[in-house]
Amino acid sequence: MSTLELGPLLRHVGTTTATIWVETSEACTVEVLGASAPTFQVCGQHYALVVVDGLEPGTCRPYEVRLDGELVWPLEGTGTPPSYLRTRTEVEDTGRLRFVFGSCRYPPTDDAELEASLGIDALDAFSVRLMEEVEATDDPSTVLPDALCLLGDQVYADEITPRTEQWIRSHRDPDDESGPGMEIADFGEYAHLYSESWTDREMRWLLSTVPTAMIFDDHDVRDDWNTSQAWRDEMASKPWWPQRIRAGLSSYWVYQHLGNLDPATRDADPLYRKVLEADGDVYDLLADFAGRADAEVGEPTGVRWSYRWDLGRTRLLMVDSRCARVLNENDRLMINDHSFAWIEENATPDAGEEVDHLLLGSSIPWLMPPAVSHVQSLDEWAAARGSKLAETVRQAVDLEHWPAFRASFDRLADLVRGVASGPDAPATVCVLSGDVHHSYAAEVRYPSPTRSRVYQLTCSPVRNGVPWFMEYVFALGWWQGLTSALARVAKAAGIGDLPMSWSPIGGPWFGNAVSTLEVNGRAARIRVERSGTRGGLEAVAELPLT
């Protein structure tokens, strides 16, 4: 009898469709609300995506999961409410929507000292509160968020837990110089990593109930992933890297990417069709695809991991800012031309199309503290002129955000200004980000006023830490005196002026946090909450955006 190993995860949800992702112990048929799908096999693991169709828009109902007819979800004895499936309302609806977002979630461990240093998981705390709210109401649709946006570092392939270290030692020698040591080596180890991250009671229920959009960041593969061509050359010299990058991208495709796509886009994907049609294990198919995706980094075109969700009159574009990079000596871009053109096309409403709020999900922030932005652009300028020190510093202190790809930074600024200034401009354009292990909200001002309010909204970590001294570094980064001095240095180096200015409206805040962006028609506000020492969430800010 097949058992439910991981999931269910509620992924893309439309007005009449919903996608449920599961991992099972054996090949079987997975059933949800009368819809079914067979599993496919990757390295001995079994997965399925069930698309429930023909649903009524704007409805909310509990659901169960069956494997070959046997009920496997909800799990007995967990004390959690039922898992709910809530469809979107029609696009004309301008009502209330809530987007919960954050990034950088280190998994639960059995190490007391490590647990104490990491603190309370903000998403677990959010889940506990949401369970209580669901159980206290007769209409769960009134309290359930519309989307959970996980903005990177869903797993840590290079910083594993003590429990995973023991597990690795039980089946391979981490001291073998031909291997990655105490890092994830292959698809099976990635599967273990996702299981460790997503099976605690609170996270499992949350993912089963709130539609979840995901995008990778560096630790999903390895720290500083695709920072520069020098980084790629260094990794290519390691004998274990080809297997690692193929496993990392293959597992991302299975565990995260597939569920991001709407059914029509996913069904049109040639790789997905091959996987469903294959007889037996499909890892070779995925590894070949992953190898090509990695090899295409630096090319003007490549695999597009970015995607779009429309939720009423709010549009979410989740942007790949890791694997779409161009890192050639004379052409350094955060996103290649092919993928950027897709972003530009989808960020701009079609004629007659009304978008009240445009959300751009980027794992790494577009807007850093201004002084930090100048430092990153200056480091890029120096590294491009052959400075080995600049390259060393770039990798040592993570100078790899949008300002370190200045051409792409400016192109995104132009895109946002164009959308925000158009005759059909949304009320807000918000860039949602994580990565930097602190949270803040900043408002953008262009030389010419825009119709839209423009913001950088950063929330990180969900559960991780930051060295104490970085709190002072980030605070100093907003100091106008330092910003002005570095701007003069950048101008002397021939780096163009910044196309706009920005200033904080809240933060920086440190500690494990989760943020909620709430829209109601053309009004919007953000709430930032941190996990307290006793396990609950404490609001640190609630800021109007319109």
Side-chain angles (χ1 to χ4, degrees):
M1 173 181 168
S2 186
T3 57
L4 187 65
E5 296 293 290
L6 192 57
L9 273 65
L10 180 60
R11 301 304 312 278
H12 182 275
V13 174
T15 55
T16 61
T17 63
T19 300
I20 310 291
W21 179 99
V22 299
E23 179 182 346
T24 65
S25 62
E26 300 175 7
C28 62
T29 298
V30 183
E31 303 165 67
V32 179
L33 293 177
S36 64
T39 57
F40 60 90
Q41 181 177 337
V42 187
C43 292
Q45 316 287 134
H46 301 272
Y47 308 92
L49 282 172
V50 181
V51 178
V52 184
D53 203 351
L55 299 167
E56 290 293 323
T59 58
C60 181
R61 60 188 296 183
Y63 71 90
E64 300 173 335
V65 178
R66 297 177 182 273
L67 306 182
D68 288 338
E70 296 292 329
L71 181 66
V72 295
W73 184 268
L75 297 177
E76 293 184 4
T78 60
T80 60
S83 297
Y84 288 92
L85 191 161
R86 181 162 65 104
T87 52
R88 309 288 182 208
T89 54
E90 298 291 351
V91 70
E92 292 79 10
D93 190 337
T94 61
R96 183 180 179 210
L97 294 171
R98 283 172 296 166
F99 300 83
V100 180
F101 67 96
S103 78
C104 308
R105 181 179 182 266
Y106 200 79
T109 77
D110 53 7
D111 183 295
E113 183 176 349
L114 180 57
E115 286 292 294
S117 69
L118 290 169
I120 302 297
D121 186 324
L123 264 183
D124 278 1
F126 180 87
S127 179
V128 169
R129 187 179 69 190
L130 186 60
M131 289 182 204
E132 294 171 350
E133 292 172 343
V134 166
E135 290 178 322
T137 181
D138 294 330
D139 184 3
S141 67
T142 61
V143 298
L144 291 174
D146 294 271
L148 170 62
C149 303
L150 299 180
L151 293 162
D153 294 347
Q154 277 67 263
V155 293
Y156 282 77
D158 55 340
E159 297 178 10
I160 60 176
T161 66
R163 181 171 55 228
T164 295
E165 287 186 11
Q166 294 177 0
W167 181 80
I168 285 177
R169 289 188 184 279
S170 71
H171 76 279
R172 69 171 168 87
D173 180 9
D175 298 322
D176 183 350
E177 293 183 359
S178 65
M182 279 300 180
E183 296 185 25
I184 297 304
D186 56 29
F187 188 94
E189 292 185 8
Y190 262 106
H192 173 89
L193 209 60
Y194 279 102
S195 178
E196 180 181 53
S197 296
W198 290 351
T199 52
D200 65 278
R201 168 182 174 270
E202 295 81 8
M203 191 66 174
R204 192 168 189 179
W205 179 82
L206 184 67
L207 293 176
S208 75
T209 298
V210 181
T212 304
M214 307 181 190
I215 197 70
F216 44 41
D217 200 27
D218 55 345
H219 290 286
D220 292 85
V221 175
R222 197 173 199 262
D223 188 29
D224 297 337
W225 177 34
N226 287 341
T227 292
S228 62
Q229 188 59 46
W231 184 92
R232 285 179 60 84
D233 292 343
E234 179 185 354
M235 297 309 300
S237 69
K238 300 182 183 298
W240 49 268
W241 179 246
Q243 175 176 261
R244 166 69 165 277
I245 188 61
R246 285 167 172 78
L249 290 177
S250 295
S251 62
Y252 176 78
W253 188 89
V254 172
Y255 283 86
Q256 299 192 51
H257 182 65
L258 275 181
N260 289 331
L261 306 179
D262 65 85
T265 301
R266 186 170 53 245
D267 290 345
D269 183 350
L271 177 60
Y272 185 60
R273 293 201 302 268
K274 290 178 182 178
V275 165
L276 294 184
E277 294 167 358
D279 182 16
D281 200 291
V282 300
Y283 181 69
D284 286 346
L285 279 174
L286 298 184
D288 178 67
F289 164 80
R292 286 186 284 109
D294 177 60
E296 288 173 353
V297 172
E299 299 298 325
T301 62
V303 172
R304 177 170 58 78
W305 300 100
S306 302
Y307 60 95
R308 165 179 157 181
W309 283 15
D310 284 332
L311 298 87
R313 285 162 60 166
T314 297
R315 176 168 298 173
L316 170 66
L317 297 182
M318 291 287 268
V319 175
D320 162 24
S321 55
R322 280 289 171 186
C323 205
R325 295 182 177 186
V326 175
L327 302 170
N328 301 326
E329 182 177 349
N330 298 318
D331 196 6
R332 181 176 161 82
L333 302 172
M334 178 69 79
I335 300 175
N336 62 50
D337 288 338
H338 173 71
S339 293
F340 216 124
W342 180 90
I343 295 166
E344 291 168 332
E345 177 184 353
N346 283 271
T348 306
D350 296 330
E353 188 177 29
E354 295 184 81
V355 174
D356 288 337
H357 304 275
L358 175 63
L359 312 181
L360 300 172
S362 169
S363 65
I364 52 179
W366 173 42
L367 303 179
M368 303 285 288
V372 176
S373 292
H374 285 305
V375 168
Q376 296 215 19
S377 295
L378 284 164
D379 182 83
E380 179 190 36
W381 175 87
R385 283 152 181 79
S387 170
K388 293 183 179 180
L389 176 61
E391 180 62 42
T392 299
V393 171
R394 171 156 60 194
Q395 295 189 35
V397 295
D398 295 341
L399 301 183
E400 51 161 342
H401 300 88
W402 282 85
F405 295 79
R406 184 56 190 272
S408 296
F409 178 96
D410 289 350
R411 185 172 179 179
L412 183 56
D414 289 343
L415 167 62
V416 170
R417 178 176 53 194
V419 172
S421 302
D424 299 318
T428 67
V429 179
C430 299
V431 179
L432 312 181
S433 303
D435 178 67
V436 291
H437 288 203
H438 71 289
S439 303
Y440 60 92
E443 185 169 7
V444 179
R445 289 178 177 82
Y446 284 92
S448 299
T450 57
R451 295 172 180 265
S452 307
R453 304 283 290 272
V454 179
Y455 298 95
Q456 170 71 62
L457 305 175
T458 303
C459 185
S460 166
V462 167
R463 186 175 190 252
N464 213 311
V466 63
W468 64 268
F469 61 86
M470 291 304 296
E471 297 189 18
Y472 297 96
V473 171
F474 287 127
L476 186 63
W478 294 103
W479 182 39
Q480 183 59 45
L482 180 59
T483 298
S484 298
L486 288 169
R488 289 193 293 271
V489 175
K491 188 171 185 178
I495 300 172
D497 292 337
L498 291 168
M500 73 291 192
S501 63
W502 61 97
S503 56
I505 61 170
W509 302 288
F510 295 88
N512 296 339
V514 63
S515 292
T516 302
L517 176 64
E518 183 175 311
V519 306
N520 194 350
R522 290 180 69 83
R525 62 191 305 110
I526 184 170
R527 182 171 63 255
V528 182
E529 299 175 284
R530 287 188 301 207
S531 55
T533 56
R534 297 183 180 180
L537 289 175
E538 302 170 349
V540 296
E542 188 155 351
L543 307 169
L545 302 179
T546 54

